[in-house]
Amino acid sequence: MRRSARTVKIGEKKIGGNEKIAVQSMLNVPPYDIKNNIKEALRLKNAGCDILRIAIPDIDSVGLIYEIKQKVDIPIVADIHFNYKLAIESVAAGADKIRINPGNIGDESRIKKVVNACNNKSLPIRIGVNSGSLEKDILKKYSHPTAEALCESAIYNIRLLEKFDFDNIVLSLKSSNVKTMIDAYRLIANKCDYPLHLGVTETGTKKIGIIKSSIGIGALLAEGIGDTIRVSLTADPIEEIIAARNILRVLNLDNTGVEIISCPTCGRTKIDIINLTNKVENELKNCKKNIKVAVMGCVVNGPGEAKEADIGIAGGDGVGLLFKNGEIIRKVKEKDILKELVKEIESL
């Protein structure tokens, strides 16, 4: 059962409540390169990004918010550290949400100014807690960034905003340690009803980062915890969207696009199933149909083992079987397997 969270609006996108889990990513182009930032924002949106975060390191980069808003229809989150004035200017530039760690913005008078600016535009604030941003007293208390320390920091920062009658809040409690991240979100999920943005931070390259994110984000989503997600990778941000969508799809939380199932091969395999599966995946990468496609290496067991697939192929010795819902519809030559499969999918 999904955790009950209040609904928060980010631009035209709603999160929390019974809304779909939203996928986020972040631009990685220098903020002064307007042309390529717009290009990347369009790529991310077309790949399935729901909410886009932008780093705002200085006053000159604030203009990027306005430029992207003019060209790309996607909610924009301004990522702010240390300088509260950048948050206020980002609100004026048209940001749809402000991401801060209130503890590093400065004294309470500065926090109040950010809160007032967001309140005037009905904008939410994401409190971004992570292992490297813990308050000194909390870090001293726990000696290192434990799940309990992250949770306590989140509560502390919530109270800072609530002190000024602000409750349009989203929370994240990120760690590069997967177990710590999972435990921290479990703790905070029982202490408030604010929407939660899930992510494992600093995961590394695509290869290991997807594994860490799938475990951390997937475990929590399977428990009903989480309202938005980001798969953080040291890679092209498009890879973050692909991975995030795949996590949602395998948990039946997203029905956009193709799910491919394939056998791991064995001694019975008489076709290059690895190469064939890669070709099928590439051919269908832009297909938006909500279908399950099976690629099996054995004509004897393939259709039966993959009978829950909407459509599939099973390779044999120079031939292949094309099947729908476990029922064989025809035999095709091995060289025509991919072409015939795509033809059938197009007709669905």
Side-chain angles (χ1 to χ4, degrees):
M1 184 176 178
R2 187 170 173 183
R3 168 181 173 266
S4 178
R6 66 179 67 186
T7 301
V8 168
K9 192 174 183 183
I10 306 166
E12 295 303 313
K13 184 73 177 178
K14 291 181 179 179
I15 65 169
N18 292 317
E19 301 295 330
K20 289 184 177 180
I21 309 297
V23 171
Q24 297 192 29
S25 186
M26 193 170 184
L27 296 178
N28 65 2
V29 178
Y32 321 112
D33 187 347
I34 303 297
K35 180 180 178 180
N36 283 317
N37 269 294
I38 291 172
K39 182 179 178 180
E40 185 165 81
L42 285 168
R43 287 176 63 227
L44 285 165
K45 181 189 176 183
N46 292 335
C49 182
D50 297 310
I51 300 170
L52 187 60
R53 184 153 57 107
I54 302 173
I56 306 297
D58 53 45
I59 196 67
D60 291 334
S61 59
V62 173
L64 178 59
I65 298 170
Y66 174 81
E67 296 293 341
I68 291 180
K69 294 284 288 185
Q70 297 303 302
K71 301 291 186 181
V72 188
D73 183 19
I74 190 169
I76 297 295
V77 181
D79 188 70
I80 310 296
H81 287 277
F82 306 113
N83 191 336
Y84 78 101
K85 292 180 180 179
L86 295 179
I88 295 171
E89 291 298 326
S90 295
V91 171
D96 299 294
K97 184 171 76 170
I98 301 297
R99 185 273 188 192
I100 61 172
N101 184 321
N104 71 24
I105 287 295
D107 60 38
E108 291 191 4
S109 66
R110 294 180 176 184
I111 295 169
K112 185 177 181 180
K113 289 177 181 178
V114 175
V115 166
N116 288 342
C118 289
N119 256 335
N120 289 338
K121 292 288 186 73
S122 299
L123 300 188
I125 292 175
R126 169 155 74 91
I127 295 173
V129 176
N130 60 59
S131 297
S133 69
L134 291 177
E135 292 73 19
K136 291 181 179 179
D137 58 333
I138 293 177
L139 188 58
K140 182 179 180 180
K141 176 181 177 180
Y142 292 96
S143 74
H144 66 283
T146 64
E148 291 78 11
L150 291 170
C151 184
E152 185 169 323
S153 177
I155 295 297
Y156 165 73
N157 284 289
I158 288 171
R159 299 293 178 255
L160 279 177
L161 299 190
E162 290 179 338
K163 182 176 182 178
F164 302 113
D165 298 320
F166 189 87
D167 61 1
N168 195 4
I169 296 171
V170 180
L171 291 173
S172 63
L173 294 79
K174 296 185 179 182
S175 173
S176 58
N177 183 292
V178 176
K179 184 65 165 57
T180 299
M181 171 265 192
I182 292 172
D183 290 344
Y185 278 103
R186 284 173 175 165
L187 287 172
I188 199 66
N190 292 317
K191 294 181 180 295
C192 70
D193 67 347
Y194 292 119
L196 299 177
H197 170 64
L198 306 184
V200 181
T201 191
E202 300 160 356
T203 63
T205 62
K206 174 183 172 182
K207 184 177 181 180
I208 189 65
I210 289 177
I211 294 173
K212 290 180 180 179
S213 295
S214 297
I215 294 170
I217 294 172
L220 290 164
L221 289 177
E223 296 175 13
I225 298 172
D227 303 285
T228 75
I229 65 174
R230 182 193 175 191
V231 175
S232 299
L233 301 175
T234 308
D236 185 332
I238 294 295
E239 298 293 343
E240 297 186 353
I241 303 303
I242 294 171
R245 289 294 171 189
N246 284 335
I247 291 170
L248 294 176
R249 192 172 295 119
V250 299
L251 289 169
N252 297 321
L253 296 172
D254 183 16
N255 59 8
T256 303
V258 175
E259 178 186 354
I260 295 175
I261 61 174
S262 58
C263 69
T265 77
C266 70
R268 291 191 298 271
T269 305
K270 294 184 179 181
I271 191 172
D272 186 355
I273 190 68
I274 296 173
N275 185 48
L276 177 59
T277 304
N278 286 330
K279 286 182 177 179
V280 170
E281 184 177 64
N282 184 64
E283 190 73 27
L284 301 178
K285 64 183 179 182
N286 295 319
C287 181
K288 301 301 182 184
K289 294 184 178 181
N290 178 25
I291 56 174
K292 182 179 291 187
V293 178
V295 184
M296 309 301 288
C298 174
V299 296
V300 177
N301 295 328
E305 291 179 354
K307 62 183 178 182
E308 293 185 2
D310 299 285
I311 191 166
I313 49 179
D317 192 2
V319 298
L321 298 179
L322 193 64
F323 55 90
K324 288 183 180 180
N325 301 309
E327 298 294 327
I328 297 171
I329 55 176
R330 67 176 180 274
K331 183 183 292 187
V332 297
K333 294 180 180 179
E334 182 177 331
K335 66 181 181 66
D336 296 326
I337 287 178
L338 180 60
K339 179 180 67 177
E340 293 298 317
L341 174 65
V342 172
K343 186 189 298 183
E344 287 295 328
I345 290 173
E346 289 175 346
S347 69
L348 292 175

